[in-house]
Amino acid sequence: MADVRARLVTRVRGMLSEALGATRTRLATAEADLAAGRDRLARTRRAAAAVPARVGAARDRRLAEIDARHTARLAELARRAAAAAQREAPGAASAPWDRWQATPAGRSEPPGALRVGTVRLDGAEPVPALVPLLDAGHAHLAGGDRAGLATVVPALLLRSVGRADPGAVRLYGYDPEHLGGGLAGFAPLGTAGLLTFVGPGGLGRLLDDLVEQIRRINATVLAGEYGSLRELAAATGRRPEPWRVAVLLGGDELSRHERGQLDRVVRTGAACGVHLVVRGIELPGDPTVTRITVEPDDARVAGLPVVLDAPPPPALVTETCRTVASRVAAGPPPTPFTDLLPPPDEYWRENSAHGLSAPIGEGPHGRQVLLTLGDYPPHALIGGPSGTGKTNLIFAWIGALAARYSPAELEFYLLDFKEGVSFARFAQGRRDPSWLPHMRLVGINVNTDREFGLALLRFLAEELRRRADAAKKHEVTKLAELRAVDPDGHWPRIVAVVDEFQALLAGRDVVAREAADLLEDLARRGRSQGIHLVLASQDVRGIEALWGRPALVAQFTLRIALPKALRILAERNDAAQSLPRHHAVVNAESGLAEGNEVARIPSASDWETWSELQHRLWRMRPQDAAPARLFDGDAIPKLADAPDFRALTAPEQGVPRSPVALLGEIIDVQSRSAALRLPRAPGRNLAVLGTRVDEACAVLDAAARSLARQYRPGTARFSIACLDPDADPAARALYEDLEGDASWYDEETVPELMAEVGDGLGAPGAARTPHFLLLYAVDAAAAALAGKAGTRTGLEQLRRILHDGPERRTHVLAWWRGVARMRVDLGGAGARTDQIGAWVALDVQGGELGSSLYPGSGGPDWYPRPWRGLYFDRAVHRTGQVIIPYGPSR
């Protein structure tokens, strides 16, 4: 029992000990947990105390970041807005007044919006406040600050005028309260027709006119192809209409009609370049209307608060308007010449069978104005005072035609009667070896050579006859029909241009009468055979040859009048009087006002501008193309260059039966030489008459050299007798060049020559060696020849040689210094002159030649001029032939 109790006590004690240990362990654990909890509590309390400061710092940092991003974004947006404003309103549209100047927009850069002030953004640079006006809409001004409103109107107008090309903005002012005083600074524009003031009561007429302009632009300019003028300008690079800005500054209550017209302008005007700047008149609500309100402390543009700019300085307004007006008065610059040309790959693609058509310039609606030559209109008349661009217009027309039609389709013949060489560039020259392949003839400096103009008309008349004969042969009447039945023939259209043609018709002499007759015939019949005349003149009032010839002028149904041209258009058509520079009135209805078209002519006469086109066409020329014949009235031709001289050759055996002496160049189209045939026939001698030593020597020199070219050495004899010391150098040069075939004689030995040749004519035997006596100033040897030369005097021997020599191949080519002296040498005033079969008159009046040397009475119609001669051959000519002596051979 005791053991049980002891064991039980021991067990209880063990259990209690274990429980105590466990309890102590749990207590220690609890105390540790309590300490850890208290530590966590402390830390938590410390952390909780630090949270507000950290959260506040993060919040402040985040707010700072948001504010920085907002500021940067605002600055970026302001920068972009400013850049967009600069793109939309560059230059004069937005520049500050202190550095403002007119900067016209380019063709593809319409003026658009205009600055009136700035929009201020917090923390960013001010942004320009823009008002969309030109090609965009209208501006309506309202508010109680009249001074502030007064700054907006001149700013909009000056920026509009400065941003557009001079003359491209037209202003209309309606200011019944101040009678235009509000626009006084713009008054200089009125001198150029760019500002029109409308008085009280004129608002209705102004609105009616604006509505009519909108109707016309929609019907004729846009014509359903484009939605607006801005769209048209962007597509074509041209703006055919100006901007019209009507400034309406108050007035009475509008009538029902005026209100209706105003509403129409608001709805439809912007697309047609018609705009309103209105104050004091209510405008209807429309997306195109920008509302500008100005109160004493608040200004807004389309509801956006703005700070208005100061008004433009009055001096800047006035000076700008004066500059614009002066530029408009001087006329717009010409358009590029390339505007008239087709793309290079389309050159020479046109066919001229039914006519010629090419643009001459840009019309007021941006479309090209065409010039046509064909059955109708067949011919053209161009008129304009000196300096108005007549030559430039001809250049432009020729270039436009030459680029479209090949030389097989079109040929040109050009003649310029005024002094100048502008047409010379079409022919081959020293400066430029190229030529226009279409050009067949170019005549320059022909103001004193009216015979050359007559020669051209004769040539065209012969060509007309040739074509008419061909048409008759093929039983057709028109060029198009002839080309259809004879496709292998050469039937290009011919355009003959005669500048200052009145010089050809001036006076009442034979040349003027024949020229007028030929012109009338060519004008009447040339149309059917493709020959077209283009006559140009500064003024046609003084053309006497046209008096009584209305049928001639009536054929020129195409009239082109340059600024201030007179008598080109119909009598009551004065459209040319108000033309600006570089423009022309084109009228294909004989000048009647209803046929007027205004064209802006490009600049085509500049050397570089024209040269590029000519070189391109020259490289395209056919292989057999030849340069145009160039006739320069101031140039002296050379014998060595004459085609007829180069064609002369000596026969391989014997001598020529009828040698030819070339005396000079004929004033004609083909560059032929005046040829004197010297067969074995009576009278085949030549007399050169006049006192001009150089010219007389030149005629004899050319005759001798051309004759010598037809003989082999030793088969002809030349006797040169020089009796004037001034002629000695030329005669000596000829003598030296003829070498062994020539003999020299002077005043002392010339009687021996006369005796030898005269006595030898009667000797029996076969025909002699051809003998040519070249006598320089033979009348100077009168005293020497008066003595005995054998059984006869020297003069008697000379007369015998003249009479009998040609039939024995002995010909005299002699120079007499006067007609009277020649008559004395031939036997006196009543002596016959039959032995002088041909003569060249130099400085000899036509009346001196008389009936014995020239058919008819009174002598030829000849008035001497430098380096020209009148050539007459009894065996060939009915009338005298004007020639140009060949220049010295050395």
Side-chain angles (χ1 to χ4, degrees):
M1 231 16 221
D3 291 336
V4 171
R5 183 180 299 122
R7 286 193 300 272
L8 181 61
V9 169
T10 300
R11 185 180 298 174
V12 169
R13 286 180 177 174
M15 293 175 61
L16 290 174
S17 179
E18 290 177 1
L20 179 61
T23 300
R24 288 176 177 172
T25 301
R26 287 196 295 272
L27 177 60
T29 302
E31 289 177 348
D33 291 341
L34 177 61
R38 288 175 177 173
D39 182 61
R40 286 196 300 273
L41 177 61
R43 289 198 305 270
T44 301
R45 287 176 175 173
R46 288 195 301 272
V51 166
R54 187 171 64 250
V55 170
R59 178 199 61 197
D60 293 342
R61 185 171 59 254
R62 183 61 177 168
L63 290 176
E65 290 175 357
I66 293 172
D67 187 60
R69 285 200 300 270
H70 173 72
T71 301
R73 179 64 174 167
L74 190 63
E76 174 65 15
L77 291 176
R79 185 189 65 78
R80 291 183 180 181
Q86 181 62 29
R87 289 193 300 271
E88 182 66 19
S94 62
W97 298 124
D98 57 354
R99 56 178 184 273
W100 188 91
Q101 61 180 356
T103 54
R107 289 187 175 187
S108 60
E109 186 185 22
L114 307 169
R115 169 174 164 162
V116 293
T118 56
V119 178
R120 295 194 178 277
L121 303 174
D122 295 337
E125 292 294 326
V127 176
L130 304 181
V131 174
L133 187 67
L134 301 185
D135 277 342
H138 316 280
H140 179 263
L141 287 75
D145 188 353
R146 298 181 67 85
L149 290 171
T151 67
V152 178
V153 174
L156 288 174
L157 299 185
L158 183 60
R159 293 191 187 279
S160 297
V161 170
R163 189 64 184 132
D165 289 330
V169 172
R170 296 182 183 177
L171 304 181
Y172 301 85
Y174 175 68
D175 187 9
E177 295 182 8
H178 299 91
L179 300 178
L183 302 177
F186 295 88
L189 295 176
T191 60
L194 301 179
L195 173 60
T196 303
F197 283 110
V198 179
L203 179 59
R205 292 191 301 273
L206 172 59
L207 293 174
D208 289 344
D209 179 65
L210 295 179
V211 170
E212 174 58 24
Q213 295 292 349
I214 295 171
R215 184 207 63 77
R216 178 187 60 80
I217 292 170
N218 277 319
T220 63
V221 180
L222 301 178
E225 297 183 32
Y226 301 97
S228 67
L229 289 176
R230 184 169 189 166
E231 181 182 336
L232 184 151
T236 65
R238 298 184 179 90
R239 184 177 181 88
E241 292 286 332
W243 287 278
R244 294 173 172 86
V245 180
V247 185
L248 313 181
L249 303 178
D252 298 331
E253 185 69 23
L254 272 61
S255 68
R256 182 176 180 180
H257 173 74
E258 291 171 343
R259 172 57 62 184
Q261 296 292 68
L262 184 65
D263 292 350
R264 293 183 180 94
V265 174
V266 170
R267 291 195 312 270
T268 62
C272 298
V274 178
H275 307 281
L276 300 173
V277 176
V278 178
R279 189 189 71 197
I281 301 175
E282 189 59 36
L283 292 184
D286 192 272
T288 61
V289 177
T290 300
R291 308 279 178 178
I292 304 172
T293 59
V294 184
E295 301 295 347
D297 297 324
D298 184 39
R300 293 179 178 270
V301 174
L304 188 68
V306 300
V307 177
L308 294 177
D309 289 336
L316 179 63
V317 176
T318 303
E319 182 61 29
T320 300
C321 292
R322 285 176 178 168
T323 301
V324 170
S326 64
R327 291 183 179 176
V328 171
T335 58
F337 174 53
T338 52
D339 287 356
L340 299 184
L341 306 180
D345 58 351
E346 296 182 12
Y347 281 10
W348 293 2
R349 295 285 185 86
E350 301 292 333
N351 185 289
S352 68
H354 295 280
L356 301 166
S357 184
I360 192 60
E362 179 184 282
H365 304 319
R367 292 177 172 82
Q368 290 184 327
V369 176
L370 296 180
L371 290 182
T372 299
L373 291 175
D375 288 344
Y376 188 89
H379 312 292
L381 193 61
I382 303 173
S386 178
T388 55
K390 180 160 49 65
T391 300
N392 179 74
L393 184 145
I394 294 173
F395 270 68
W397 195 2
I398 289 176
L401 287 171
R404 286 168 170 78
Y405 299 93
S406 70
E409 299 287 334
L410 170 65
E411 291 182 349
F412 286 110
Y413 294 79
L414 266 61
L415 200 60
D416 189 357
F417 272 99
K418 67 178 182 295
E419 294 184 5
V421 295
S422 56
F423 286 168
R425 69 183 63 182
F426 297 122
Q428 191 176 34
R430 293 187 300 271
R431 178 181 176 183
D432 187 351
S434 72
W435 69 87
L436 191 65
H438 309 70
M439 203 64 57
R440 305 312 320 137
L441 173 71
V442 177
I444 59 176
N445 292 318
V446 292
N447 50 310
T448 60
D449 288 316
R450 295 163 62 231
E451 295 84 1
F452 189 77
L454 184 60
L456 172 60
L457 296 181
R458 289 171 176 168
F459 172 83
L460 294 176
E462 178 60 25
E463 177 64 17
L464 177 61
R465 184 199 61 77
R466 185 180 75 89
R467 294 185 175 205
D469 290 346
K472 186 182 300 184
K473 174 183 176 182
H474 291 283
E475 298 181 346
V476 296
T477 58
K478 296 182 179 181
L479 180 68
E481 299 169 347
L482 176 61
R483 291 178 58 165
V485 299
D486 185 19
D488 296 330
H490 182 64
W491 309 112
R493 286 193 181 266
I494 292 175
V495 176
V497 182
V498 184
D499 196 7
E500 301 302 338
F501 74 97
Q502 72 276 5
L504 176 61
L505 304 177
R508 298 180 179 273
D509 57 6
V510 174
V511 173
R513 289 193 295 271
E514 184 179 355
D517 290 339
L518 288 172
L519 269 177
E520 185 169 348
D521 183 59
L522 286 167
R524 181 171 50 85
R525 298 193 299 128
R527 72 172 72 198
S528 61
Q529 302 304 331
I531 298 178
H532 307 284
L533 302 174
V534 177
L535 304 185
S537 175
Q538 294 184 19
D539 192 357
V540 299
R541 288 181 298 180
I543 305 175
E544 296 182 2
L546 292 182
W547 292 357
R549 291 182 179 269
L552 172 57
V553 180
Q555 298 298 326
F556 290 81
T557 52
L558 177 57
R559 311 286 178 86
I560 305 173
L562 293 157
K564 302 299 185 294
L566 299 174
R567 301 290 296 277
I568 297 295
L569 303 176
E571 183 176 355
R572 296 184 180 181
N573 187 353
D574 59 355
Q577 303 309 306
S578 58
L579 278 180
R581 291 181 60 196
H582 314 301
H583 285 70
V585 175
V586 176
N587 189 301
E589 302 296 335
S590 299
L592 297 177
E594 54 267 26
N596 287 351
E597 286 188 275
V598 177
R600 186 180 177 190
I601 311 301
S603 177
S605 57
D606 177 71
W607 174 272
E608 296 298 332
T609 300
W610 179 263
S611 181
E612 182 177 351
L613 172 64
Q614 179 162 305
H615 277 81
R616 181 184 290 273
L617 298 181
W618 181 63
R619 291 191 294 269
M620 295 170 58
R621 71 190 186 278
Q623 293 184 351
D624 58 348
R629 150 94 155 117
L630 175 63
F631 176 83
D632 185 352
D634 288 346
I636 300 175
K638 299 291 186 182
L639 178 66
D641 298 332
D644 290 336
F645 179 75
R646 295 197 299 268
L648 295 176
T649 57
E652 296 181 0
Q653 295 181 350
V655 295
R657 299 180 58 185
S658 183
V660 176
L662 305 183
L663 309 177
E665 184 178 279
I666 300 173
I667 299 183
D668 73 349
V669 174
Q670 286 108 347
S671 186
R672 296 175 300 163
S673 299
L676 169 64
R677 293 202 168 273
L678 297 176
R680 299 176 63 180
R684 304 315 294 161
N685 302 298
L686 173 70
V688 181
L689 306 171
T691 61
R692 294 177 183 153
V693 177
D694 292 343
E695 297 173 26
C697 291
V699 174
L700 293 181
D701 184 90
R705 292 179 186 275
S706 56
L707 287 168
R709 190 176 176 88
Q710 300 166 68
Y711 292 92
R712 289 174 287 107
T715 60
R717 178 185 174 190
F718 295 86
S719 295
I720 302 173
C722 184
L723 309 171
D724 185 342
D726 292 338
D728 190 82
R732 285 282 182 185
L734 175 63
Y735 169 70
E736 292 171 2
D737 289 346
L738 293 180
E739 298 179 337
D741 291 334
S743 303
W744 181 264
Y745 298 88
D746 54 21
E747 188 174 356
E748 295 181 358
T749 57
V750 70
E752 299 176 7
L753 172 64
M754 296 295 110
E756 174 197 349
V757 177
D759 293 341
L761 292 175
R768 305 176 178 280
T769 299
H771 189 184
F772 303 98
L773 282 69
L774 300 157
L775 309 180
Y776 290 75
V778 62
D779 54 282
L785 294 178
K788 290 289 184 178
T791 59
R792 294 183 174 87
T793 66
L795 288 176
E796 291 174 339
Q797 294 284 23
L798 174 60
R799 295 165 194 159
R800 183 181 182 186
I801 297 169
L802 290 169
H803 188 272
D804 299 332
E807 296 181 81
R808 293 169 174 77
R809 295 182 177 173
T810 299
H811 306 273
V812 175
L813 294 84
W815 164 35
W816 278 274
R817 292 173 296 183
V819 177
R821 291 195 173 195
M822 183 188 72
R823 293 185 186 280
V824 170
D825 289 348
L826 295 181
R832 295 180 61 87
T833 57
D834 296 350
Q835 61 269 43
I836 302 296
W839 47 262
V840 175
L842 300 173
D843 55 339
V844 175
Q845 297 293 334
E848 297 181 50
L849 297 168
S851 59
S852 61
L853 290 172
Y854 196 80
S857 59
D861 192 3
W862 165 247
Y863 301 96
R865 52 189 188 270
W867 214 260
R868 297 294 185 270
L870 183 67
Y871 169 48
F872 181 75
D873 186 342
R874 295 177 188 270
V876 177
H877 298 142
R878 290 189 302 170
T879 59
Q881 190 175 56
V882 179
I883 66 171
I884 307 174
Y886 289 113
S889 299
R890 289 190 179 183

